[in-house]
Amino acid sequence: MDIGHRMKELRIQYGLTQQELADRAELTKGFISQLERNQNSPSIGTLLDIIQCLGTTPAEFFTDEEPEQIVFKQEDYFEKTDEEKHCCIEWVVPNAQKNQMEPVRLTLHAGGRSEVYQPHEGEDFGYVIKGNVRIHYAGQNQTVHAGESFYFKAGKKHYLENTGARDAVIIWVTTPPNF
């Protein structure tokens, strides 16, 4: 691990100048500069003081983990087309089944429908981007139009159906993951 680079990275992240970090750690600006350029090595005690002044812990300082991905692009999506049901489901957050919720983009072609989901713990939310869909939930049928949303507890059998002549596109989020 490049300690000097990590130290500089955190210093900049917290908006500190070398002088401000030096003042906080009771060191000289020149010594901080040497550390950041790996021209000098601090004692363990000094390094621990600097880490504390940077507002982190030794464990966080020495962790090389990459930050968790928070933005997902088209190339990250996983898609499954079901010719029989005339639908396409896109997982817009890869591996979301390990999370608390699972968002998908569902395209229902004319006459298409989703899987029939059996009652499960959790909740479902959807936003219709394009077209109209009919929600079949607990023996009830309700139509949701583009620009409208739906929300229900998933404790009853449910599915979506496109009764229109053009594609319907829905962002559907279920918790816990169920798709």
Side-chain angles (χ1 to χ4, degrees), residues 20-114:
E20 290 169 329
L21 179 57
D23 291 344
R24 288 181 181 193
E26 298 179 353
L27 300 167
T28 65
K29 177 184 172 189
F31 185 66
I32 296 294
S33 175
Q34 288 176 348
L35 294 177
E36 287 183 356
R37 291 181 288 137
N38 292 312
Q39 293 179 336
N40 204 336
S41 296
S43 68
I44 302 249
T46 299
L47 180 58
L48 291 175
D49 286 345
I50 292 170
I51 289 171
Q52 183 178 14
C53 292
L54 288 169
T56 190
T57 66
E60 291 170 340
F61 183 86
F62 289 106
T63 297
D64 273 343
E65 290 179 15
E66 286 295 314
E68 185 176 347
Q69 183 178 2
I70 60 171
V71 175
F72 303 94
K73 300 179 189 255
Q74 186 78 32
E75 59 267 16
D76 297 319
Y77 300 171
F78 174 75
E79 182 178 306
K80 175 186 167 194
T81 301
D82 187 327
E83 301 292 336
E84 183 181 312
K85 289 187 174 54
H86 304 288
C87 72
C88 174
I89 186 169
E90 293 174 275
W91 284 265
V92 296
V93 176
N95 300 317
Q97 64 273 15
K98 67 180 172 31
N99 298 330
Q100 296 289 322
M101 63 180 161
E102 183 177 23
V104 299
R105 180 170 50 200
L106 177 65
T107 301
L108 297 174
H109 304 296
R113 67 170 224 199
S114 71

Side-chain angles (χ1 to χ4, degrees), residues 140-160:
Q140 298 178 17
N141 299 321
Q142 295 186 42
T143 300
V144 186
H145 304 280
E148 296 178 342
S149 60
F150 60 86
Y151 178 89
F152 54 84
K153 299 223 183 266
K156 308 277 185 192
K157 187 164 106 173
H158 56 280
Y159 67 95
L160 301 182

